[in-house]
């Protein structure tokens, strides 16, 4: 167990430090999400009432697209200098690497969300009519759902040609229930018309199922044969 | 085994023509929908066949992950390909029927959405196989198949709740089915299953032969290089 936490911590700290110095992923994600927000607000121009209903969808679609930018860089970074091959031959457990990468992506996407949400609130005139504190649960469960599968499928798609196109093609179909849950939960909280309980439970189940599935299969995917 | 193939082909042809006769002539015309309802004899058996094939794909993928058998991998590939074809038939015939009966081409109903999501997952599976290079294809494809299957119950519950929360259009009520209609339906399903087995079988043989050819070519190119 200590090997898992030790390797996880070391990899996570290394990734965060790399990101802190280069700011590649976070800058490109931020600018991309900003563009999506601006383009959406041009194409809809909604009233406060309407925007409350559609904002859940817009926010999560923007975050999903932006997250793909970061997820694509997760493993591509390790291909340079054969870091991934070095990892394969080392005795460190594969799952600790996966956890570190997933946690790193979780932090990147959470930072993105924290920075972008005020912009959404300003541009779309948002104010939650339901219990706003539940948005914290929706955001963290939803982000983990995107990131855990995204990290896993990014590891799969580095084995393919044109890997940057492959990741969304794999990730989006599988993420449909999670995305539906995030969008519906956010809309229910913003409009205050329905309870978001069911969706949060569904997201939690989705997280548990796919975290287990990804941890179970990651070693197979990393070692290839 | 090789002799069974033409026998199955003849059987399939007979069953398919009998199924066509049953669907167009033998089955009684439905009271409210009229002749449009006859598409049902193609729509429903295709759906059942597609779901059976997706199940075969899942089973073959698990067998592959457990024992790394090449045959299981070829079977998984073949069943996904043929399953996607049958699923496409379902998604095309559905709207053709829905337009005159419901007055709309498409609705985000539970079964429709679930079929569409399944189709999307298996198309992404085939894309992965197509884009993936080298010998790791079978393994990552099998992992994707298992994760996709894990997704299905979650999709089911999410859409079920999504739909119960929103108003939904009236769907031709359940009720009982005429036994002659049921007979034709089951006959068509049998015919479609035979047809699917036939297509999978020949596609499977083709896949195995093309893999052998690839292997032989790889070996030959190695052998021609080694003397130098």
């Amino acid at each position: 167990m200590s090997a898992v936490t030790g390797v996880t911590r070391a990899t996570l700290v290394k990734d965060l430090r790399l990101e802190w110095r280069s700011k590649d992923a976070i800058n490109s994600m931020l600018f991309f999400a900003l563009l999506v927000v601006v383009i959406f607000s041009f194409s809809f121009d909604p009233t406060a009432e309407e925007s409350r209903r559609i904002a859940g969808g817009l926010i999560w679609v923007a975050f999903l697209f932006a997250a793909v930018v970061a997820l694509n860089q997760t493993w591509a970074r390790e291909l340079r200098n054969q870091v991934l091959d070095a990892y394969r031959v080392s005795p460190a457990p594969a799952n600790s690497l996966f956890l570190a990468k997933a946690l790193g992506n979780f932090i990147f996407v959470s930072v993105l969300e924290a920075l972008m949400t005020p912009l959404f609130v300003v541009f779309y005139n948002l104010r939650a009519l339901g219990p706003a504190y539940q948005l914290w649960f929706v955001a963290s469960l939803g982000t983990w759902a995107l990131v855990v599968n995204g990290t896993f499928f990014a590891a799969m798609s580095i084995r393919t040609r044109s890997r940057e196109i492959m990741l969304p093609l794999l990730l989006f179909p599988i993420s449909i229930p999670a995305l539906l849950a995030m969008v519906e939960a956010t809309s229910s909280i913003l409009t205050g018309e329905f309870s978001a309980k069911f969706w949060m439970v569904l997201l939690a189940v989705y997280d548990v199922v796919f975290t287990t599935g990804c941890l179970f299969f990651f070693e197979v995917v990393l070692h290839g044969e | 085994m090789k002799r069974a193939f033409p026998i199955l082909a003849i059987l399939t042809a007979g069953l398919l023509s009998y199924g066509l006769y049953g669907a167009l002539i033998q089955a009684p015309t439905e009271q409210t929908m009229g002749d449009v309802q006859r598409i049902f004899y193609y729509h429903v058996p295709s759906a059942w066949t597609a779901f059976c094939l997706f199940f075969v794909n899942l089973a073959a993928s698990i067998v592959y992950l457990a024992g790394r058998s090449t045959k299981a991998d070829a079977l998984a590939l073949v069943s996904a390909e043929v399953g996607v074809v049958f699923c496409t038939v379902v998604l095309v015939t559905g709207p053709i029927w829905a337009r005159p009966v419901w007055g709309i081409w498409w609705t985000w109903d539970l079964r429709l959405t679930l079929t569409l999501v399944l189709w999307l997952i298996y198309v992404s599976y085939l894309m992965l196989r197509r884009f993936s290079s080298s010998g790791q294809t079978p393994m990552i494809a099998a992992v994707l198949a298992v994760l996709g299957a894990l997704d299905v119950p979650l999709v089911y519950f999410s859409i079920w709740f999504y739909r119960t929360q929103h108003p939904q259009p009236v769907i031709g009520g359940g009720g009982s089915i005429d036994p002659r209609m049921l007979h034709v339906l089951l006959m068509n399903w049998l015919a479609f299953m035979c047809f699917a087995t036939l297509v999978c079988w020949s596609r499977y043989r083709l896949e195995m032969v093309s893999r052998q050819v690839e292997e032989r070519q790889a070996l030959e190119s190695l052998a021609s290089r080694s003397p130098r």
Side-chain angles (χ1 to χ4, degrees):
Chain A
M1 204 59 208
S2 63
V4 173
T5 49
V7 175
T8 306
R9 198 183 314 118
T11 317
L12 182 61
V13 167
K14 178 214 73 170
D15 275 350
L16 290 179
R17 188 177 296 138
L18 262 178
E19 184 56 37
W20 181 250
R21 287 182 186 161
S22 71
K23 299 191 185 62
D24 280 347
I26 201 79
N27 278 341
S28 44
M29 276 200 299
L30 267 179
F31 191 59
F32 188 84
L34 179 68
L35 289 176
V36 174
V37 173
V38 172
I39 288 170
F40 273 156
S41 64
F42 280 145
S43 47
F44 290 116
D45 193 21
T47 62
E49 188 55 38
E50 275 173 30
S51 66
R52 209 170 275 138
R53 270 187 288 115
I54 60 170
L58 295 189
I59 291 172
W60 283 110
V61 169
F63 290 161
L64 176 67
F65 287 167
V68 169
V69 177
L71 292 168
N72 260 328
Q73 295 186 0
T74 317
W75 302 103
R77 190 179 268 160
E78 308 294 352
L79 288 179
R80 266 174 265 149
N81 307 325
Q82 278 77 45
V83 180
L84 205 56
D85 290 332
Y87 205 92
R88 274 192 203 114
V89 294
S90 82
N95 278 340
S96 54
L97 178 66
F98 177 76
L99 275 180
K101 289 290 183 185
L103 282 174
N105 282 327
F106 182 79
I107 293 171
F108 297 153
V109 178
S110 301
V111 169
L112 165 86
E113 288 170 1
L115 293 174
M116 291 308 292
T117 309
L119 263 186
F120 266 105
V121 172
V122 169
F123 279 175
Y124 292 91
N125 248 325
L126 291 177
R127 195 167 57 84
L129 298 180
Y133 71 93
Q134 290 183 350
L135 285 173
W136 287 104
F137 296 106
V138 177
S140 35
L141 289 174
T143 310
W144 182 253
L146 288 185
V147 155
V148 74
N149 271 348
T151 310
F152 187 81
F153 289 131
M156 263 161 79
S157 62
I158 53 165
R159 303 299 181 74
T160 61
R161 302 193 299 274
S162 55
R163 55 179 86 106
E164 306 213 329
I165 303 168
M166 207 55 227
L167 173 64
L169 296 186
L170 295 176
L171 178 62
F172 292 178
I174 296 263
S175 299
I176 285 174
L179 204 64
L180 186 64
M182 289 179 241
V183 170
E184 287 299 308
T186 311
S187 305
S188 327
I189 293 167
L190 288 180
T191 59
E193 285 171 19
F194 303 103
S195 157
K197 287 253 165 59
F198 172 85
W199 295 116
M200 289 196 281
V201 172
L202 186 84
L203 268 179
V205 173
Y206 184 95
D207 284 355
V208 170
V209 167
F210 279 96
T211 308
T212 317
C214 291
L215 288 176
F216 188 73
F217 285 121
F218 186 70
E219 191 158 2
V220 182
V221 170
L222 181 72
H223 292 292
E225 288 311 315
Chain B
M1 258 326 243
K2 267 190 180 163
R3 211 175 295 154
F5 189 80
I7 298 173
L8 182 66
I10 293 166
L11 183 72
T12 306
L15 277 172
L16 277 177
S17 15
Y18 181 65
L20 182 69
Y21 168 76
L24 293 185
I25 295 158
Q26 201 181 26
T29 310
E30 216 268 350
Q31 276 178 346
T32 45
M33 295 184 238
D35 281 332
V36 185
Q37 183 264 342
R38 290 179 191 278
I39 205 167
F40 165 80
Y41 301 116
Y42 288 94
H43 179 74
V44 177
S46 308
W48 290 350
T49 311
F51 296 152
C52 287
L53 286 167
F54 291 153
F55 188 75
V56 170
N57 170 271
L58 173 64
S61 302
I62 292 173
V63 170
Y64 178 80
L65 283 175
R68 301 285 190 273
S69 124
T70 343
K71 284 180 180 170
D73 172 56
L75 183 63
L77 167 66
V78 165
S79 56
E81 279 179 352
V82 182
V84 164
V85 172
F86 274 99
C87 202
T88 312
V89 171
V90 176
L91 289 172
V92 171
T93 52
I96 296 176
W97 172 85
R99 176 70 187 160
V101 176
W102 292 344
I104 39 172
W105 291 108
W106 182 265
T107 165
W108 295 98
D109 163 63
L110 175 59
R111 274 169 294 177
L112 276 72
T113 315
L114 189 62
T115 314
L116 179 66
V117 173
L118 258 184
W119 186 83
L120 289 173
I121 290 176
Y122 278 95
V123 170
S124 83
Y125 173 88
L126 291 180
M127 297 277 270
L128 177 69
R129 294 206 76 125
R130 169 59 60 89
F131 276 106
S132 170
S133 48
S134 78
Q136 290 141 353
T137 317
M139 185 271 306
I140 55 178
V143 170
L144 180 65
V146 174
L147 288 184
L150 286 181
D151 206 35
V152 172
L154 291 163
V155 177
Y156 182 88
F157 282 115
S158 63
I159 302 162
W160 169 75
F161 192 76
Y162 183 58
R163 282 296 105 185
T164 45
Q165 207 178 43
H166 291 70
Q168 50 182 330
V170 182
I171 290 160
S176 59
I177 183 170
D178 188 306
R180 283 173 297 170
M181 288 182 170
L182 188 65
H183 171 79
V184 175
L185 179 68
L186 292 178
M187 195 47 85
N188 265 303
W189 186 35
L190 182 65
F192 274 44
M193 284 301 281
C194 286
F195 184 53
T197 315
L198 190 73
V199 176
C200 282
W201 192 347
S202 50
R203 178 70 186 81
Y204 177 80
R205 274 164 46 176
L206 177 65
E207 181 66 23
M208 291 315 256
V209 169
S210 72
R211 282 180 191 197
Q212 277 169 7
V213 170
E214 260 171 41
E215 228 167 78
R216 189 78 48 89
Q217 279 173 344
L219 281 179
E220 270 171 18
S221 67
L222 275 181
S224 62
R225 234 175 265 169
S226 54
R228 273 177 240 166

